Each structure stands twice: as structure tokens, then as C-alpha cells.
Amino acid sequence: METILSSHSLHPILNPKASISKNLLLPSQQPRPVSLFLSKPITCTPKKPTSQLVKPSLAEPRNWFVHAQQGLAALAISLALNFSPVLYTGNAIASEFDVINEGPPKESYVIDDANVLSRVTKSDLKRLLSDLESRKNFHINFITVRKLTSKADAFEYADQVLERWYPTLEEGSNKGIVVLVTSQKEGAVTGGPAFVQAVGENILDATVTENLPVLATEEKYNEAVYSSAKRLVAAIDGLPDPGGPQVKDNKRESNFKSREETEEKRGQFSLVVGGLLVIAFVVPMAQYYAYVSKK
């Protein structure tokens, strides 16, 4: 057992007997101290591990601060976009003024600012109105807007567009402007002297009172615009008036009965109640009389 504990493979600290036996020898006989035991702890310095531990602790707060700055910047931008009154009012009232400032459309005859017309309707309008202009030299523009804030009604706005787009009499004499306001369910038709004379007052009034408001009330904006265009073109060509849409009678039938029906039902009800009362009194009395007579 003692031989196993004094094995050379064990460290001197773990083998106390070996260290005592070495101290009992003479100084000349004692072996020189081995520097391996002291050199290992000295050379194993903790500089590298500590530097690795310190760097993450310093970088983590720095990364957190950068993320916090980015988050605050994104929040500030979001609040500015959502609550800025300048941006909100600009989007709310910019449409009608943009239509006036942009001028007449160059490649088409339609400015669909309300975004209610389909591609098929725009294509049909372009084909119909371009054919009219090539034959009769009359140019008609159709405009749709959601809401008017600068003018009282569609007629004032249409006149303003005509004066702004065609400032001289020569430019606007054969021009026509048709405006449809989707939120107010109304429209207007205006134009230069030559255009008004070619269409006629009756067709102009009929288009404004029938085609545009009736179909717009039913939210049939494509039909309202295209039917108005066909009616104006037919008038300029001297063809028979195709007419406007038929106004539907939206009156609902009343669920209340008339006075005559009420009186008739009341008489029938009185007869039924009277008959039930007679049966309720007469039948028990007859049964009682029959029972007493048997006795």
C-alpha cells in the first residue's frame, strides 16, 4: 500500500511521504529543484481568457444602444407620417387641384381621379371620342373626382377647368368638359360656344339630370360616363337621342292595412269571439241539464 502511494507518477503535493524523505537527505544529496512545477502556473496566465470575457461585456451595451437609437428613429418617422397635419390635408384636397394644374390629357380623353372607371370603359371612350374629333373636330374630356372642396357644385368646377385648360375663346370654342363627382352623386357638362350649340340645351340638361346623377346614385359610374358620351356624340352627329336611364321607383309597399281592410277584419273577429263565448256558456249548461234530467 505504501509503495503504491509513493509512486513517481503522483504529484509531490499529493504524496506527502515522498516530500518528507527528500527533506531528510543531505544538501549535497538532495536533487535540484525541478522548475516544471513552478513554471506551469507562471506560464498559464489568464490574460487571454479575461480579454475574451471583457470584450463581449463591452460590446453588448454598445449594440443595445445602437438598436435603441434605430428603434427611436423609426418610431419618430412613424409618428410624423401618421399625425402630420400637412400631409393629411394635402392628400385630402390635392385631387381636384391636381386635375386643374395638370391640364387636359394628351393620350386619352379621361382623367379618372376618383378611380372608378374600368379599362374597358376608358378604351371605349377613347375610341368613341377620337372618332368624333376626327370627323367633327369636337373634343370632349371626362373627369371623375371624389369630392369638391373649392367649389360649391360640379358646374362651377367644370367652368373653372374649361377656363384653365383653354384660356382663349379660339381654344375652347369646340371643347367640352364633363365632370362626375362620386361622393355627391352629381355631374355637370360645360363647353365652348360651338360645343354648346352643336349639342343643344335640351340634351345638355337631360344628360346632367338623367345619365350622370341617376346612374351615379346606383354607383354605376362606368355606365354613367359612357352613356353620357354616347348621348353627346349622337347629338353632335344629328342622330336621334338614345335617351337616358329610367328612374326606378324606390317606393316600398306599406305593410299597414287600409281602413276598409281593418273594419272587415274587425267584423270577422267579433263573429269568431261571439261564437266562442256562446259555445263556452251554452255547451256546459246543456250538459248539466241533460245530467239532471236523467236523475
Side-chain angles (χ1 to χ4, degrees), residues 207-226:
T207 304
V208 172
T209 57
E210 296 175 5
N211 297 76
L212 294 176
V214 173
L215 295 174
T217 302
E218 301 175 3
E219 296 186 355
K220 298 178 180 179
Y221 303 115
N222 291 275
E223 185 178 354
V225 170
Y226 191 65

Side-chain angles (χ1 to χ4, degrees), residues 96-115:
E96 55 182 305
F97 298 108
D98 289 343
V99 171
I100 297 175
N101 295 328
E102 288 177 1
K106 297 180 180 179
E107 299 181 358
S108 65
Y109 298 82
V110 183
I111 296 182
D112 184 22
D113 188 75
N115 195 22

Side-chain angles (χ1 to χ4, degrees), residues 44-64:
C44 295
T45 58
K47 289 183 180 180
K48 188 174 183 180
T50 54
S51 62
Q52 294 178 353
L53 294 175
V54 172
K55 287 183 180 179
S57 63
L58 293 176
E60 184 176 358
R62 184 178 180 182
N63 293 333
W64 177 86

Side-chain angles (χ1 to χ4, degrees), residues 51-186:
S51 62
Q52 294 178 353
L53 294 175
V54 172
K55 287 183 180 179
S57 63
L58 293 176
E60 184 176 358
R62 184 178 180 182
N63 293 333
W64 177 86
F65 183 72
V66 172
H67 289 302
Q69 284 183 333
Q70 294 176 354
L72 291 175
L75 180 61
I77 295 173
S78 177
L79 292 175
L81 292 176
N82 291 330
F83 297 100
S84 176
V86 176
L87 293 177
Y88 177 77
T89 55
N91 292 333
I93 63 176
S95 59
E96 55 182 305
F97 298 108
D98 289 343
V99 171
I100 297 175
N101 295 328
E102 288 177 1
K106 297 180 180 179
E107 299 181 358
S108 65
Y109 298 82
V110 183
I111 296 182
D112 184 22
D113 188 75
N115 195 22
V116 293
L117 302 181
S118 64
R119 294 183 179 179
V120 177
T121 301
K122 294 178 181 179
S123 177
D124 293 341
L125 284 173
K126 183 178 181 179
R127 182 173 59 253
L128 178 65
L129 298 177
S130 61
D131 178 70
L132 174 68
E133 187 175 9
S134 63
R135 293 185 296 102
K136 298 291 184 177
N137 195 26
F138 284 99
H139 186 96
I140 306 175
N141 291 313
F142 281 80
I143 302 171
T144 65
V145 293
R146 295 182 181 87
K147 186 179 180 180
L148 296 178
T149 58
S150 60
K151 297 298 178 181
D153 55 18
F155 289 96
E156 293 185 9
Y157 182 71
D159 291 337
Q160 183 182 9
V161 173
L162 181 65
E163 294 175 0
R164 186 66 177 271
W165 286 3
Y166 310 106
T168 63
L169 181 61
E170 291 76 11
E171 292 177 350
S173 179
N174 60 341
K175 303 298 191 302
I177 301 293
V178 181
V179 175
L180 175 62
V181 185
T182 58
S183 63
Q184 301 174 8
K185 311 298 182 185
E186 66 176 7

